[in-house]
């Protein structure tokens, strides 16, 4: 079946329909990751957006449900050059086509994704309409395209009630250390029969339970699973709170540290959340914030944010840690950034910068046990170069040091 992508500027792409048979209007963005599409599609930060994967072949290893970063697909639609309908991977649970149908997500394949990305890079992120209706023209959907906004997506993606994740008590619970995993044929055969407890664990990178005994409060603005898992794998007990939780309720539970998660949408839309974050800032508790949480902390302390032309989305973005001048390859997914020109040096100072375009990638707060990053140290998908930041957060709690 034919499918069409109609952009806000009037450009029309014709391709083939994939996934669920439904129309969708959404913000069109692109991701440069070569792998990790399952994690991308299930990242709550993509709520309200349709994602174009720039790598030309997507789906060759299928979908492993263990790799999901949330309970469902959050992207509005999927745009690819070529979709692999016959995956090959011993961990595969289903094909992408089956995955999209299961969660009622439409998509389009066979378009020139290079041309689409060039348009977005030259003109900036714009809205698009995906349909299988061959009679629809740009004029028919023009008003709908220009009117669309992602709106209040944080409340949509956040958990609805408090949850708890127990920290591991033995390092072996994390699985074999990366590079030391071994294949067990008997366990593999049992996993194929449906015994998921026999499924091979992912290799771990955590070498010590340096967070054992610590209580961490994670404020969920659309948190990826691996944020809580990265803390729990280090021994931390993690309590996950809905986005509308008051600072008073969090502080009443007496956590040792607070994490502010990633999430979707314009940070300036989160006015009430920003007020609560200011209270957490004033509490003197150690705080580590990622992506949207980084932006919200900046807004709560008087800084500003602005929308980027087409954002950073992919697993290959170099960032420099200004504390040691080392460059790390990072996983990123954001369309907004903290405005460095409006940053009060008495409140916060740059901690990371993007090597490609010089935009801010992290802040250290003056006189506070607070640091924030724009990128994703929990990765998934992407490199795990910057996972050491979770250890830095734990050390900050243990030592009580301030920048």
């Amino acid at each position: 079946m034919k499918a069409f992508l109609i952009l806000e500027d009037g450009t029309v792409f014709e391709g083939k329909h994939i996934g669920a048979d439904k129309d969708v209007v959404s913000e069109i963005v692109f991701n440069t990751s070569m792998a990790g599409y399952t994690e991308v599609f299930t990242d709550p930060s993509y709520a309200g957006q349709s994602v174009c994967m720039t790598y030309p072949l997507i789906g060759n290893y299928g979908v492993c449900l263990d790799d999901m970063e949330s309970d469902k697909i959050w992207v509005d639609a999927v745009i690819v050059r070529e979709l692999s309908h016959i995956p090959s991977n011993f961990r595969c649970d289903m094909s992408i086509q089956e995955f999209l149908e299961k969660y009622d997500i439409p998509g389009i394949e066979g378009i020139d994704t290079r041309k689409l990305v060039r348009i977005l890079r030259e003109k900036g992120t714009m809205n698009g309409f995906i349909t299988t209706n061959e009679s629809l023209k740009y004029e028919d959907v023009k008003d709908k395209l220009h009117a669309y906004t992602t709106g209040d997506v944080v409340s949509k993606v956040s958990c609805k009630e408090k949850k708890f994740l127990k920290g591991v008590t033995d390092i072996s619970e994390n699985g074999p250390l990366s590079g030391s995993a071994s294949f067990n044929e008997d366990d593999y055969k049992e996993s194929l029969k449906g015994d998921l407890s026999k499924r091979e664990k992912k290799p771990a990178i955590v070498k010590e339970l340096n967070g054992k005994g610590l209580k961490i409060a994670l404020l969920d603005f659309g948190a990826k699973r691996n944020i809580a898992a990265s803390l729990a794998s280090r021994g931390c007990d993690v309590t996950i709170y809905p986005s509308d939780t008051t600072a008073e309720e969090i502080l009443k539970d007496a956590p040792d540290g607070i994490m502010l998660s990633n999430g979707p949408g314009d940070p300036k839309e989160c006015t009430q959340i920003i007020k609560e974050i200011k209270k957490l800032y004033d509490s003197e508790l150690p705080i580590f914030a990622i992506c949207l949480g980084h932006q919200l902390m900046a807004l709560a302390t008087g800084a500003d944010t602005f929308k980027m032309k087409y954002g950073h989305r992919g697993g290959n973005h170099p960032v420099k840690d200004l504390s040691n001048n080392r460059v790390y390859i990072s996983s990123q997914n954001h369309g907004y950034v903290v405005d460095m020109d409006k940053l009060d040096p008495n409140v916060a100072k740059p901690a990371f910068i993007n090597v490609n375009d010089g935009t801010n990638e992290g802040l250290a707060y003056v006189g506070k046990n607070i640091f924030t990053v724009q990128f994703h140290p929990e990765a998934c998908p992407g490199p795990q170069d910057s996972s050491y930041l979770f250890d830095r957060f734990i050390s900050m709690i243990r030592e009580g040091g301030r920048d």
Side-chain angles (χ1 to χ4, degrees):
M1 186 186 338
K2 288 182 179 180
F4 303 88
L5 168 61
I6 306 172
L7 293 182
E8 198 173 350
D9 69 347
T11 304
V12 179
F13 292 88
E14 179 180 332
K16 292 186 292 185
H17 162 261
I18 58 174
D21 186 8
K22 60 187 286 190
D23 293 350
V24 65
V25 59
S26 181
E27 184 178 55
I28 310 298
V29 299
F30 64 90
N31 185 295
T32 57
S33 296
M34 297 174 67
Y37 46 79
T38 302
E39 296 93 325
V40 169
F41 299 164
T42 57
D43 181 350
S45 293
Y46 280 107
Q49 297 175 326
S50 294
V51 62
C52 169
M53 302 299 294
T54 63
Y55 191 70
L57 177 64
I58 298 296
N60 57 313
Y61 59 85
V63 172
C64 175
L65 299 180
D66 287 348
D67 295 340
M68 293 176 64
E69 280 297 309
S70 62
D71 292 332
K72 57 174 283 188
I73 297 177
W74 281 108
V75 297
D76 285 340
V78 171
I79 304 165
V80 297
R81 173 60 182 168
E82 181 182 353
L83 188 73
S84 174
H85 293 272
I86 307 177
S88 177
N89 178 12
F90 75 95
R91 297 179 69 241
C92 175
D93 291 310
M94 63 182 68
S95 69
I96 286 189
Q97 175 65 25
E98 294 169 323
F99 193 46
L100 296 177
E101 289 177 349
K102 178 179 179 179
Y103 291 100
D104 197 33
I105 303 298
I108 183 171
E109 74 160 317
I111 72 166
D112 187 344
T113 51
R114 295 170 302 174
K115 179 179 178 181
L116 173 59
V117 171
R118 281 199 302 269
I119 291 173
L120 298 179
R121 286 176 62 93
E122 291 168 5
K123 298 184 179 181
T125 297
M126 64 180 76
N127 296 333
F129 191 87
I130 295 176
T131 182
T132 57
N133 187 341
E134 296 186 39
S135 64
L136 274 183
K137 306 299 181 187
Y138 170 68
E139 292 299 327
D140 299 326
V141 296
K142 179 180 177 180
D143 292 342
K144 184 179 292 188
L145 281 169
H146 288 287
Y148 176 80
T149 62
T150 57
D152 177 19
V153 277
V154 169
S155 62
K156 178 181 176 182
V157 302
S158 176
C159 61
K160 305 308 176 189
E161 57 185 24
K162 191 159 62 172
K163 299 186 292 185
F164 180 74
L165 181 62
K166 177 69 176 174
V168 304
T169 56
D170 189 286
I171 197 74
S172 64
E173 295 176 47
N174 290 327
L177 281 174
S178 181
S180 63
S182 60
F183 177 70
N184 186 304
E185 185 174 359
D186 292 334
D187 284 348
Y188 173 59
K189 289 178 179 178
E190 291 300 314
S191 71
L192 290 180
K193 295 176 183 177
D195 186 355
L196 298 184
S197 68
K198 298 294 185 180
R199 193 192 286 266
E200 184 178 349
K201 289 185 177 181
K202 295 180 182 179
I205 59 172
V206 175
K207 296 182 179 179
E208 62 174 328
L209 302 184
N210 53 353
K212 197 170 184 177
L214 294 181
K215 294 166 54 180
I216 305 298
L218 171 59
L219 202 47
D220 177 14
F221 307 132
K224 293 164 63 182
R225 281 178 175 166
N226 205 42
I227 293 179
S230 295
L231 293 165
S233 67
R234 289 165 168 81
C236 302
D237 291 334
V238 184
T239 303
I240 305 168
Y241 296 83
S243 61
D244 59 357
T245 306
T246 63
E248 288 80 7
E249 180 177 346
I250 294 172
L251 297 175
K252 185 176 65 174
D253 289 343
D256 297 299
I258 297 171
M259 278 225 56
L260 308 180
S261 84
N262 64 293
D266 183 347
K268 291 180 182 177
E269 296 280 341
C270 305
T271 53
Q272 186 56 45
I273 294 174
I274 292 169
K275 293 178 182 177
E276 298 303 319
I277 289 178
K278 179 59 168 65
K279 298 175 186 176
L280 297 176
Y281 170 85
D282 291 334
S283 73
E284 300 300 324
L285 277 175
I287 299 175
F288 178 25
I290 293 172
C291 201
L292 179 64
H294 154 78
Q295 297 163 5
L296 295 175
M297 178 59 76
L299 291 171
T301 53
D304 197 9
T305 59
F306 63 87
K307 188 171 185 177
M308 306 174 76
K309 188 174 182 180
Y310 49 82
H312 295 156
R313 297 175 181 88
N316 53 357
H317 291 265
V319 296
K320 179 186 281 190
D321 185 340
L322 299 180
S323 69
N324 58 21
N325 283 324
R326 294 186 65 179
V327 174
Y328 302 89
I329 303 301
S330 69
S331 175
Q332 302 205 10
N333 173 21
H334 63 102
Y336 293 83
V337 68
V338 173
D339 190 342
M340 292 298 295
D341 293 334
K342 298 179 181 178
L343 186 67
D344 185 345
N346 296 314
V347 174
K349 57 185 179 182
F352 290 85
I353 60 168
N354 189 290
V355 177
N356 287 337
D357 60 16
T359 55
N360 178 256
E361 292 284 358
L363 296 171
Y365 283 78
V366 178
K368 292 282 186 176
N369 292 327
I370 299 173
F371 73 97
T372 67
V373 294
Q374 181 62 77
F375 52 95
H376 288 265
E378 83 288 350
C380 289
Q384 298 172 320
D385 295 29
S386 56
S387 62
Y388 72 93
L389 292 174
F390 289 100
D391 300 310
R392 180 183 290 184
F393 177 47
I394 289 170
S395 295
M396 185 173 70
I397 296 173
R398 297 263 189 223
E399 299 166 7
R402 297 182 179 182
D403 291 305

